[in-house]
Amino acid sequence: MRNKNVNYECQNMFTHEVIATFDSYEKADTFLDAAYDFPDWETVPPMKIAEVTDDER
């Protein structure tokens, strides 16, 4: 069985555009926290974290 490389993408919730990719969930979560702590948080698109494997790219 082949090991699958897993990454975590911060995606726009509506368009599914990839905004950033990380190698751990914690880093992706930290990115979202920092984005929403931004002074102009209203301009930050709604995002979700998606787990992506090599097979899904």
Side-chain angles (χ1 to χ4, degrees):
M1 180 178 215
R2 190 175 107 190
N3 287 340
K4 293 186 179 187
N5 186 22
V6 177
N7 285 315
Y8 299 88
E9 295 178 346
C10 293
Q11 299 177 353
N12 182 307
M13 288 178 72
F14 301 112
T15 65
H16 305 287
E17 171 190 8
V18 176
I19 297 168
T21 303
F22 299 94
D23 59 356
S24 72
Y25 184 90
E26 291 77 23
K27 289 179 183 178
D29 192 45
T30 300
F31 175 81
L32 288 184
D33 288 343
Y36 292 122
D37 285 342
F38 190 67
D40 293 331
W41 63 267
E42 307 93 2
T43 63
V44 177
M47 291 184 275
K48 67 177 181 176
I49 298 173
E51 183 178 279
V52 181
T53 63
D54 286 339
D55 295 341
E56 297 173 322
R57 290 188 187 171

